[in-house]
Amino acid sequence: MGREFVEIFDEWVHTYDDSVNGKDVEYKDVFVKYNEILQAVADVATGPVVEFGVGTGNLTEKLLSRGLKVVGVEPNRAMREVTAEKIADLTLIDGDFLEFKVGITPQSFVSSYAFHHLTDVEKARAFQIYAEQLPTGGKVIFADTLFDSEMAKQEIIAFEQKRGHANLVEDLNREYYTTVPVMEKLITDAGFTVEFSKMNNYVFLIDATKK
């Protein structure tokens, strides 16, 4: 995960759950069907699972409810503390999408609302790492903000600007949101097949399977 964004979550840690549950009007459209999106990720995963960007543990809980073994990877200390209080006996380490020592052989890598913290070059490198660690048929299941095209991204930014959503516009311009065609190429170049499912106006489910 792009470590330059880690401190942002010191501010988000106490309000994140309110935001994902629709209480922050500015981000409401980003989190439409939030629980369905997390469930869609959890439903595809097989264990053992490595979850990147655990945050406050919402996806983690859905994975554990399916009886899956989960190791959580979270670079933000405050988020790790919140999740450790919420979920007893969870193995939770300081790490990110590119650097992690989990001590298991994963069958799935999963994440929600976090992969955009990597540049496209870093995203490609991440999938190369996952390909090295997964067995044939292993999964990478990420839910993240993607756009159908660069034009579609700019249209959304202009739309949110007109709505006066300055914080969301800042996020969209600052972080590394990419397009479906770019994501598809970097994933298939790493030796995966991939399917994209649009979950809301911002978020796609990325379901990649190692060949």
Side-chain angles (χ1 to χ4, degrees):
M1 180 182 290
R3 290 275 176 164
E4 67 267 35
F5 298 112
V6 168
E7 292 182 3
I8 292 173
F9 290 92
D10 290 338
E11 303 169 19
W12 270 57
V13 66
H14 300 297
T15 61
Y16 186 76
D17 284 342
D18 283 343
S19 293
V20 300
N21 286 311
K23 295 181 181 179
D24 185 337
V25 174
E26 189 164 358
Y27 287 85
K28 190 169 184 177
D29 287 354
V30 179
F31 294 111
V32 167
K33 299 182 180 178
Y34 177 73
N35 282 300
E36 291 177 38
I37 290 167
L38 298 194
Q39 192 62 57
V41 175
D43 286 346
V44 179
T46 56
V49 181
V50 172
E51 181 189 355
F52 296 112
V54 167
T56 57
N58 297 324
L59 174 56
T60 317
E61 289 181 319
K62 293 185 183 299
L63 294 163
L64 292 171
S65 73
R66 290 195 53 229
L68 298 172
K69 176 179 176 59
V70 180
V71 175
V73 179
E74 172 55 59
N76 181 273
R77 180 178 177 180
M79 287 289 194
R80 289 198 305 273
E81 290 174 352
V82 167
T83 301
E85 289 181 9
K86 185 190 290 187
I87 305 173
D89 302 322
L90 174 68
T91 301
L92 187 57
I93 68 164
D94 180 359
D96 55 56
F97 284 105
L98 298 172
E99 296 184 9
F100 53 94
K101 295 181 180 179
V102 293
I104 62 169
T105 301
Q107 183 69 30
S108 302
F109 290 107
V110 304
S111 182
S112 60
Y113 290 85
F115 200 49
H116 58 269
H117 294 128
L118 273 64
T119 66
D120 288 349
V121 171
E122 290 171 330
K123 291 183 182 81
R125 193 165 123 234
F127 267 89
Q128 294 287 348
I129 293 169
Y130 308 153
E132 292 170 3
Q133 297 200 22
L134 288 170
T136 300
K139 290 279 195 178
V140 180
I141 311 111
F142 289 170
D144 199 33
T145 295
L146 289 174
F147 296 96
D148 290 307
S149 65
E150 186 60 33
M151 182 181 293
K153 177 180 175 180
Q154 295 308 317
E155 288 173 352
I156 282 280
I157 290 172
F159 174 69
E160 296 295 359
Q161 210 154 18
K162 287 180 181 177
R163 297 171 86 188
H165 293 168
N167 292 323
L168 178 54
V169 169
E170 182 183 358
D171 287 345
L172 291 171
N173 281 316
R174 175 184 56 198
E175 301 184 23
Y176 306 119
Y177 298 100
T178 194
T179 65
V180 171
V182 169
M183 187 71 82
E184 182 173 17
K185 185 177 189 311
L186 68 85
I187 292 172
T188 56
D189 284 352
F192 292 81
T193 60
V194 62
E195 295 181 4
F196 296 90
S197 302
K198 194 163 189 175
M199 306 300 290
N200 64 31
N201 287 336
Y202 283 87
V203 176
F204 282 80
L205 181 69
I206 303 163
D207 182 354
T209 306
K210 183 182 173 181
K211 295 180 184 177

